[in-house]
Structures are given as C-alpha cells and as structure tokens.
Amino acid sequence: MVMKVYSPEFKADAVALYLSDPSHTFEGIGKDLGISRETLRNWVRAERVRHGGGTTTSTSTERNTVDSPPTAEELQAGNEALRRELAAARKEMHKLATERDILRKATKFFAQEMTW
C-alpha cells in the first residue's frame, strides 16, 4: 500500500472544514477531498488532542462568552458582511455561467467542424 504525504496546510484545512459544521461527516468530507475517512478522522482526533479535546477549533470570530447576546452593532456588521459575500457569490456565479455558455458554444462549434 502506498502512503500518501499531505502538507500540514492541507491537513489543517481539511480538519477546519470538517469542524466548521456539525453536519459534516468524515465520509463526506473525505470523499470531497479525495482522502480516506479514516485518515480525516485521525487528523481530527489529533487536532482535538492538541487543543484540549474540544469539539471545534477556536477562530478569531468566535465569541468568548456564550451567555451574552450579540449587540445591535455586531448584528448589523454581520449582516453587511453577509450581504457583501452574497454579492460576490452572485457575481462569481454569473461569471461561471457565462464561461459555461462560452464553452458550450465552443464545443458545438468544434463538433460541427469535426464532421466536415
């Protein structure tokens, strides 16, 4: 069996992706990234041991206290950030749709050229 070597950055990104949403599964993320679910499970287990056994990794955007509700300013800032992200995603989707259409037209053109 061949052992694959993954960069520390890849491992960290894979673990962060898995831990970012409780609905993620080792099977699903492993399949998406092209790694075995057992490999991902081992990486997540090692990360949890390194950080004291927590179920999620700490990020700079996490709140330090769970008890206090977010302020109006925090909510407004979050909404604005989401609106900007949505606008960027829509722009990217439009770009990808345009590229897809161009490639479809090119495929039809080259398919016709090959029949001549």
Side-chain angles (χ1 to χ4, degrees):
M1 176 181 256
V2 177
M3 293 290 293
K4 294 183 180 176
V5 178
Y6 299 98
S7 71
E9 182 180 14
F10 179 83
K11 291 178 185 180
D13 289 344
V15 170
L17 176 61
Y18 173 79
L19 294 175
S20 69
D21 186 344
S23 68
H24 288 158
T25 63
F26 291 123
E27 185 75 29
I29 298 298
K31 186 177 179 182
D32 291 345
L33 297 177
I35 58 176
S36 75
R37 69 175 188 80
E38 189 63 21
T39 297
L40 179 60
R41 188 178 68 79
N42 289 334
W43 293 348
V44 170
R45 183 184 299 154
E47 179 69 15
R48 286 180 173 159
V49 167
R50 249 190 316 275
H51 288 94
T55 57
T56 60
T57 57
S58 177
T59 64
S60 60
T61 59
E62 285 182 335
R63 296 180 57 78
N64 291 334
T65 59
V66 179
D67 300 326
S68 62
T71 64
E73 293 83 17
E74 290 172 326
L75 291 173
Q76 187 174 7
N79 284 341
E80 288 302 316
L82 288 172
R83 284 190 178 116
R84 285 190 300 274
E85 186 177 337
L86 179 59
R90 285 181 175 160
K91 184 176 180 180
E92 180 68 13
M93 283 178 27
H94 179 68
K95 177 183 152 232
L96 292 172
T98 302
E99 290 173 350
R100 181 192 64 225
D101 292 341
I102 291 169
L103 291 172
R104 281 184 180 164
K105 289 176 187 175
T107 302
K108 288 179 185 177
F109 173 78
F110 287 115
Q112 290 173 355
E113 289 292 316
M114 297 298 286
T115 60
W116 291 95

